[in-house]
Amino acid sequence: MKHTEVDVSNIHYALRSAHGAHPIASGEAESTPLLSECTDKLGRPLKDLRLSVIDQCNFRCTYCMPKEVFTKDYPFLRSASRLSFDQMTFLAKAFVRLGVDKIRITGGEPLLRKNLELLIDRLACLRTPEGKDVEIALTTNGSLLAAKARSLRDAGLRRVTVSLDSLDDAIFQRMNDVRFPVARVLEGIHAAAAAGLSPVKVNTVVERGVNESQILPIARYFRNTGVVVRFIEFMDVGGAASWARKNVFTSDDARRLIESEFALQPLLTQRANDTARNFEYADGAGSVGFISSVSQPFCGDCTRARVSSDGKMFTCLFATGSLDVKPWLGEALAPEALAREILARWRDRDDRYSELRGVCARVGSKKVYPTVRMSLVGG
Ligand code: SAM
Ligand code: SF4
Ligand code: SF4
């Protein structure tokens, strides 16, 4: 896929020393109190923001952006409709005031967005109302990470998650469907670790009949490296046209496979809103996680809001509707107006699609609602 990228990896961030003075990213969040308690109808607080910076991608993972659907004529968002970094920062500040303490930058492929370091530089200045740093993370397919890891770190990124579904080139290339080699993603992972983006996490989507043979090789490869692998159940999200329950390789099966070679014990230190159930190797070789969105849904702890790169807020990965926040991003408007809109939307939230999926299957009904594209709102 053609994209016009300006490589800013060599720009040193003079901005970093000056960013406190940026009109939008100044430390305002610190001093401004919460509007009022921000919990949804099921009592879940708003803690995490997934911010998509682009809906395009240079991969065509069969479970996310199958080539038959995402053709070269596919109506991706026009670059003019994307939020600017100023608008994204303004938006992020409103979310932080409402309780968000973790922002994950995603896509599409976020590293295709030009000068992403400039956005990270601004977001890295945000503080919670209690004065704590807001955690800034990024999820990427790793294809451009080797070249960018250092500049992302210099801009203020602390953590990165890299998606990697196979160590076997033939399987990986069948899954990414653009013949992208494993070696270049591994280079990106090593560069991220060397740049201090730690702990680097690796996300592996497991699709039955496609890549379950890779679970043990991936687990073995990353033991003793400090990299934390998380095996993810294949989900029925928007792009996943081939999804069927029989193609889900469950976390329990993945864990049993790993335990056939290495003893695991549950990690007790777990954040309530952590999507993964984490285990450590009994021999001290590190840890591994399992994200069981299908077999053991975790909607009860879901504190995530998502915003697409054109400024639509979604309260669930499977939501049908969204709130267009763009009208509240004008410079003339006070941040309170935007925060109030988000608060009202969050308070009205009762999404729990993954829990309802099982109920629907039992009563023989189809999906409760159509799903938004994963590449629009990020994972
Ligand atoms: N392009 C980046 C990447 O691949 O890391 C970020 C966006 S991608 C949509 C975010 C995450 O969603 C990836 O880890 C990907 O593996 C996961 N994902 C996409 N489609 C999925 C599906 N059908 N089931 C489970 N996870 C999926
Ligand atoms: Fe692109 Fe990520 Fe989706 Fe793969 S999972 S097609 S890399 S957005
Ligand atoms: Fe959250 Fe929706 Fe996923 Fe449930 S289905 S965990 S509510 S994003």
mmCIF file of all heavy atoms in Angstrom, residues 44 235 293 297-300 302-304 306 315-318 349 351-355 357 369, ligand 3:
data_model
loop_
_atom_site.group_PDB
_atom_site.id
_atom_site.type_symbol
_atom_site.label_atom_id
_atom_site.label_comp_id
_atom_site.label_asym_id
_atom_site.label_seq_id
_atom_site.Cartn_x
_atom_site.Cartn_y
_atom_site.Cartn_z
ATOM 1 N N ARG A 44 -19.104 0.749 35.822
ATOM 2 C CA ARG A 44 -17.699 0.671 35.381
ATOM 3 C C ARG A 44 -17.127 2.078 35.160
ATOM 4 O O ARG A 44 -17.704 2.864 34.407
ATOM 5 C CB ARG A 44 -17.608 -0.140 34.083
ATOM 6 C CG ARG A 44 -18.090 -1.571 34.241
ATOM 7 C CD ARG A 44 -18.265 -2.276 32.914
ATOM 8 N NE ARG A 44 -19.330 -1.699 32.102
ATOM 9 C CZ ARG A 44 -19.792 -2.223 30.967
ATOM 10 N NH1 ARG A 44 -19.260 -3.343 30.504
ATOM 11 N NH2 ARG A 44 -20.758 -1.638 30.289
ATOM 12 N N MET A 235 -11.518 -13.219 17.637
ATOM 13 C CA MET A 235 -12.832 -12.626 17.938
ATOM 14 C C MET A 235 -13.632 -12.346 16.670
ATOM 15 O O MET A 235 -13.067 -12.137 15.594
ATOM 16 C CB MET A 235 -12.650 -11.285 18.659
ATOM 17 C CG MET A 235 -12.284 -11.392 20.098
ATOM 18 S SD MET A 235 -12.332 -9.754 20.849
ATOM 19 C CE MET A 235 -10.940 -8.969 20.114
ATOM 20 N N SER A 293 -11.465 -13.241 25.314
ATOM 21 C CA SER A 293 -12.674 -12.453 25.065
ATOM 22 C C SER A 293 -13.870 -13.312 24.685
ATOM 23 O O SER A 293 -15.004 -12.902 24.885
ATOM 24 C CB SER A 293 -12.429 -11.467 23.927
ATOM 25 O OG SER A 293 -11.088 -11.181 23.785
ATOM 26 N N PRO A 297 -15.526 -13.946 28.827
ATOM 27 C CA PRO A 297 -15.621 -12.495 28.598
ATOM 28 C C PRO A 297 -15.387 -11.696 29.881
ATOM 29 O O PRO A 297 -15.713 -12.159 30.973
ATOM 30 C CB PRO A 297 -17.060 -12.298 28.116
ATOM 31 C CG PRO A 297 -17.607 -13.633 27.824
ATOM 32 C CD PRO A 297 -16.753 -14.656 28.504
ATOM 33 N N PHE A 298 -14.795 -10.505 29.683
ATOM 34 C CA PHE A 298 -14.456 -9.693 30.859
ATOM 35 C C PHE A 298 -15.137 -8.327 30.788
ATOM 36 O O PHE A 298 -14.580 -7.319 31.199
ATOM 37 C CB PHE A 298 -12.932 -9.543 30.985
ATOM 38 C CG PHE A 298 -12.225 -9.395 29.652
ATOM 39 C CD1 PHE A 298 -12.206 -8.189 28.982
ATOM 40 C CD2 PHE A 298 -11.610 -10.487 29.058
ATOM 41 C CE1 PHE A 298 -11.567 -8.053 27.760
ATOM 42 C CE2 PHE A 298 -10.971 -10.371 27.827
ATOM 43 C CZ PHE A 298 -10.947 -9.148 27.169
ATOM 44 N N CYS A 299 -16.367 -8.306 30.235
ATOM 45 C CA CYS A 299 -17.078 -7.023 30.097
ATOM 46 C C CYS A 299 -17.271 -6.335 31.457
ATOM 47 O O CYS A 299 -17.281 -5.105 31.527
ATOM 48 C CB CYS A 299 -18.447 -7.240 29.450
ATOM 49 S SG CYS A 299 -18.346 -7.963 27.814
ATOM 50 N N GLY A 300 -17.432 -7.136 32.507
ATOM 51 C CA GLY A 300 -17.690 -6.554 33.824
ATOM 52 C C GLY A 300 -16.584 -5.600 34.267
ATOM 53 O O GLY A 300 -16.825 -4.698 35.068
ATOM 54 N N CYS A 302 -14.693 -3.867 31.990
ATOM 55 C CA CYS A 302 -14.268 -3.118 30.801
ATOM 56 C C CYS A 302 -14.402 -1.609 31.023
ATOM 57 O O CYS A 302 -15.509 -1.067 31.106
ATOM 58 C CB CYS A 302 -15.073 -3.547 29.583
ATOM 59 S SG CYS A 302 -14.540 -2.666 28.110
ATOM 60 N N THR A 303 -13.269 -0.960 31.100
ATOM 61 C CA THR A 303 -13.225 0.466 31.404
ATOM 62 C C THR A 303 -12.705 1.255 30.206
ATOM 63 O O THR A 303 -12.169 2.341 30.351
ATOM 64 C CB THR A 303 -12.303 0.689 32.622
ATOM 65 O OG1 THR A 303 -11.027 0.092 32.335
ATOM 66 C CG2 THR A 303 -12.854 0.067 33.888
ATOM 67 N N ARG A 304 -12.854 0.670 28.992
ATOM 68 C CA ARG A 304 -12.227 1.252 27.793
ATOM 69 C C ARG A 304 -13.212 2.014 26.907
ATOM 70 O O ARG A 304 -14.285 1.514 26.591
ATOM 71 C CB ARG A 304 -11.595 0.142 26.939
ATOM 72 C CG ARG A 304 -10.402 -0.518 27.581
ATOM 73 C CD ARG A 304 -9.884 -1.663 26.731
ATOM 74 N NE ARG A 304 -10.776 -2.818 26.744
ATOM 75 C CZ ARG A 304 -10.913 -3.659 27.746
ATOM 76 N NH1 ARG A 304 -10.215 -3.496 28.850
ATOM 77 N NH2 ARG A 304 -11.739 -4.677 27.683
ATOM 78 N N ARG A 306 -13.145 4.025 23.056
ATOM 79 C CA ARG A 306 -12.329 4.076 21.832
ATOM 80 C C ARG A 306 -12.734 5.284 21.013
ATOM 81 O O ARG A 306 -13.917 5.625 20.942
ATOM 82 C CB ARG A 306 -12.562 2.804 21.016
ATOM 83 C CG ARG A 306 -12.088 1.568 21.732
ATOM 84 C CD ARG A 306 -12.387 0.308 20.943
ATOM 85 N NE ARG A 306 -11.518 -0.780 21.358
ATOM 86 C CZ ARG A 306 -11.731 -1.549 22.416
ATOM 87 N NH1 ARG A 306 -12.796 -1.385 23.164
ATOM 88 N NH2 ARG A 306 -10.875 -2.497 22.735
ATOM 89 N N THR A 315 -18.145 3.072 22.704
ATOM 90 C CA THR A 315 -18.030 2.596 24.079
ATOM 91 C C THR A 315 -17.852 1.080 24.152
ATOM 92 O O THR A 315 -17.806 0.512 25.234
ATOM 93 C CB THR A 315 -19.273 3.015 24.898
ATOM 94 O OG1 THR A 315 -20.438 2.588 24.190
ATOM 95 C CG2 THR A 315 -19.300 4.516 25.090
ATOM 96 N N CYS A 316 -17.758 0.428 22.983
ATOM 97 C CA CYS A 316 -17.528 -1.015 22.946
ATOM 98 C C CYS A 316 -16.934 -1.359 21.590
ATOM 99 O O CYS A 316 -17.248 -0.727 20.584
ATOM 100 C CB CYS A 316 -18.849 -1.757 23.153
ATOM 101 S SG CYS A 316 -18.753 -3.552 23.029
ATOM 102 N N LEU A 317 -16.096 -2.377 21.579
ATOM 103 C CA LEU A 317 -15.498 -2.845 20.329
ATOM 104 C C LEU A 317 -16.581 -3.323 19.356
ATOM 105 O O LEU A 317 -16.369 -3.406 18.156
ATOM 106 C CB LEU A 317 -14.566 -4.012 20.697
ATOM 107 C CG LEU A 317 -13.519 -4.510 19.750
ATOM 108 C CD1 LEU A 317 -12.723 -3.376 19.133
ATOM 109 C CD2 LEU A 317 -12.588 -5.443 20.511
ATOM 110 N N PHE A 318 -17.725 -3.647 19.901
ATOM 111 C CA PHE A 318 -18.807 -4.184 19.071
ATOM 112 C C PHE A 318 -19.985 -3.214 18.971
ATOM 113 O O PHE A 318 -21.104 -3.618 18.655
ATOM 114 C CB PHE A 318 -19.286 -5.518 19.657
ATOM 115 C CG PHE A 318 -18.196 -6.551 19.698
ATOM 116 C CD1 PHE A 318 -17.324 -6.620 20.774
ATOM 117 C CD2 PHE A 318 -18.027 -7.450 18.659
ATOM 118 C CE1 PHE A 318 -16.313 -7.569 20.812
ATOM 119 C CE2 PHE A 318 -17.025 -8.397 18.694
ATOM 120 C CZ PHE A 318 -16.161 -8.453 19.768
ATOM 121 N N ARG A 349 -23.830 4.164 29.101
ATOM 122 C CA ARG A 349 -23.251 2.943 28.511
ATOM 123 C C ARG A 349 -23.709 1.682 29.256
ATOM 124 O O ARG A 349 -23.618 1.601 30.477
ATOM 125 C CB ARG A 349 -21.721 3.056 28.604
ATOM 126 C CG ARG A 349 -20.938 1.814 28.210
ATOM 127 C CD ARG A 349 -19.478 2.042 28.547
ATOM 128 N NE ARG A 349 -18.590 1.093 27.922
ATOM 129 C CZ ARG A 349 -17.782 0.282 28.610
ATOM 130 N NH1 ARG A 349 -17.778 0.291 29.928
ATOM 131 N NH2 ARG A 349 -16.974 -0.536 27.971
ATOM 132 N N ASP A 351 -22.937 -1.470 27.394
ATOM 133 C CA ASP A 351 -22.402 -2.489 26.481
ATOM 134 C C ASP A 351 -21.806 -3.666 27.244
ATOM 135 O O ASP A 351 -21.093 -3.482 28.228
ATOM 136 C CB ASP A 351 -21.259 -1.902 25.632
ATOM 137 C CG ASP A 351 -21.686 -0.679 24.867
ATOM 138 O OD1 ASP A 351 -22.308 -0.826 23.824
ATOM 139 O OD2 ASP A 351 -21.389 0.434 25.351
ATOM 140 N N ARG A 352 -22.053 -4.846 26.726
ATOM 141 C CA ARG A 352 -21.378 -6.059 27.232
ATOM 142 C C ARG A 352 -21.534 -7.160 26.180
ATOM 143 O O ARG A 352 -21.993 -8.263 26.457
ATOM 144 C CB ARG A 352 -21.914 -6.476 28.602
ATOM 145 C CG ARG A 352 -23.416 -6.629 28.687
ATOM 146 C CD ARG A 352 -23.865 -6.833 30.131
ATOM 147 N NE ARG A 352 -25.256 -7.289 30.166
ATOM 148 C CZ ARG A 352 -25.627 -8.545 30.355
ATOM 149 N NH1 ARG A 352 -24.734 -9.495 30.542
ATOM 150 N NH2 ARG A 352 -26.902 -8.882 30.379
ATOM 151 N N TYR A 353 -21.110 -6.813 24.983
ATOM 152 C CA TYR A 353 -21.338 -7.700 23.850
ATOM 153 C C TYR A 353 -20.781 -9.099 24.060
ATOM 154 O O TYR A 353 -21.438 -10.096 23.783
ATOM 155 C CB TYR A 353 -20.741 -7.102 22.548
ATOM 156 C CG TYR A 353 -20.816 -8.097 21.427
ATOM 157 C CD1 TYR A 353 -22.013 -8.307 20.751
ATOM 158 C CD2 TYR A 353 -19.727 -8.893 21.095
ATOM 159 C CE1 TYR A 353 -22.110 -9.269 19.765
ATOM 160 C CE2 TYR A 353 -19.818 -9.854 20.115
ATOM 161 C CZ TYR A 353 -21.005 -10.040 19.450
ATOM 162 O OH TYR A 353 -21.097 -10.996 18.482
ATOM 163 N N SER A 354 -19.544 -9.178 24.552
ATOM 164 C CA SER A 354 -18.909 -10.504 24.660
ATOM 165 C C SER A 354 -19.671 -11.418 25.613
ATOM 166 O O SER A 354 -19.674 -12.633 25.439
ATOM 167 C CB SER A 354 -17.453 -10.375 25.089
ATOM 168 O OG SER A 354 -16.700 -9.889 24.004
ATOM 169 N N GLU A 355 -20.312 -10.817 26.621
ATOM 170 C CA GLU A 355 -21.120 -11.644 27.519
ATOM 171 C C GLU A 355 -22.407 -12.072 26.831
ATOM 172 O O GLU A 355 -22.885 -13.183 27.015
ATOM 173 C CB GLU A 355 -21.440 -10.865 28.797
ATOM 174 C CG GLU A 355 -20.207 -10.683 29.666
ATOM 175 C CD GLU A 355 -20.459 -9.875 30.937
ATOM 176 O OE1 GLU A 355 -21.571 -9.323 31.110
ATOM 177 O OE2 GLU A 355 -19.534 -9.778 31.745
ATOM 178 N N ARG A 357 -22.818 -12.540 23.650
ATOM 179 C CA ARG A 357 -22.537 -13.439 22.514
ATOM 180 C C ARG A 357 -22.907 -14.875 22.883
ATOM 181 O O ARG A 357 -23.569 -15.575 22.113
ATOM 182 C CB ARG A 357 -21.052 -13.355 22.184
ATOM 183 C CG ARG A 357 -20.605 -14.255 21.060
ATOM 184 C CD ARG A 357 -19.098 -14.440 21.095
ATOM 185 N NE ARG A 357 -18.328 -13.288 20.690
ATOM 186 C CZ ARG A 357 -17.438 -12.674 21.487
ATOM 187 N NH1 ARG A 357 -17.234 -13.097 22.716
ATOM 188 N NH2 ARG A 357 -16.755 -11.646 21.054
ATOM 189 N N TYR A 369 -25.779 -7.292 17.462
ATOM 190 C CA TYR A 369 -25.646 -6.122 16.601
ATOM 191 C C TYR A 369 -24.427 -6.260 15.702
ATOM 192 O O TYR A 369 -23.491 -6.983 16.033
ATOM 193 C CB TYR A 369 -25.602 -4.815 17.383
ATOM 194 C CG TYR A 369 -24.952 -4.819 18.744
ATOM 195 C CD1 TYR A 369 -23.582 -4.927 18.895
ATOM 196 C CD2 TYR A 369 -25.717 -4.657 19.902
ATOM 197 C CE1 TYR A 369 -22.991 -4.881 20.134
ATOM 198 C CE2 TYR A 369 -25.121 -4.612 21.149
ATOM 199 C CZ TYR A 369 -23.754 -4.729 21.258
ATOM 200 O OH TYR A 369 -23.167 -4.667 22.496
HETATM 201 FE FE1 SF4 B 3 -15.646 -4.134 26.591
HETATM 202 FE FE2 SF4 B 3 -17.426 -4.435 24.661
HETATM 203 FE FE3 SF4 B 3 -15.262 -6.017 24.746
HETATM 204 FE FE4 SF4 B 3 -17.227 -6.301 26.566
HETATM 205 S S1 SF4 B 3 -17.378 -6.654 24.370
HETATM 206 S S2 SF4 B 3 -15.019 -6.252 26.972
HETATM 207 S S3 SF4 B 3 -17.881 -4.151 26.822
HETATM 208 S S4 SF4 B 3 -15.272 -3.803 24.418
#
